[in-house]
Amino acid sequence: MTNISDLIELYLKKLLSDSLHDYVEVQRRELANRFNCVPSQINYVLTTRFSAGHGYLVESRRGGGGFVRIVKLPLGQRANLVLDVCSLIGDSISQTGAAGLIRRLLDEELITLRESHLMQSAIRGNILRISLPARDQLRALILKAMVTEVLRN
């Protein structure tokens, strides 16, 4: 069953794919009205599903004519792809951030569904049974190794 966050995400991604540019501008209030939800639900979707790790930049302007601009960030040329992705991962990455990055690689057809599932399995918190922040640092190292191997070819 699809929840409201999934529907909002799909709607925004559809707007982006239909856009002539790599961005779309929307009003938070209009989105909330469209999906019959509170504006904080829109904020939640923007924060959790449209972060830099997911490949997006969200800019916001408040006020009467305020808007939210969602920009799809390019991954760069194939030769620099591994460097770009490793830079996005950084020295530490949360499980949510890692899952978002893996999902983006899958969406961009840079990895297969099977590779996505293997990566997700390896970076789960219940598998990496050490305390934070060491867990997020280990997750980053493992994810970088997997991404480097898969995207190298």
Side-chain angles (χ1 to χ4, degrees), residues 52-54 85-102 123 128 132-144:
H54 288 89
V85 172
C86 287
S87 175
L88 283 173
I89 295 169
D91 294 330
S92 175
I93 191 166
S94 67
Q95 184 171 338
T96 303
L101 180 63
I102 292 167
I123 56 99
L128 305 175
L132 292 171
R135 182 184 327 146
D136 288 349
Q137 293 166 345
L138 178 59
R139 182 180 290 113
L141 290 172
I142 292 169
L143 189 55
K144 282 181 186 178

Side-chain angles (χ1 to χ4, degrees), residues 77-118:
Q77 301 299 325
R78 190 80 175 166
N80 294 323
L81 186 58
V82 173
L83 292 175
D84 289 345
V85 172
C86 287
S87 175
L88 283 173
I89 295 169
D91 294 330
S92 175
I93 191 166
S94 67
Q95 184 171 338
T96 303
L101 180 63
I102 292 167
R103 184 171 166 194
R104 177 166 185 215
L105 293 171
L106 181 62
D107 289 347
E108 300 277 340
E109 298 180 356
L110 295 169
I111 62 173
T112 66
L113 183 60
R114 183 170 190 251
E115 291 165 340
S116 167
H117 288 301
L118 288 170

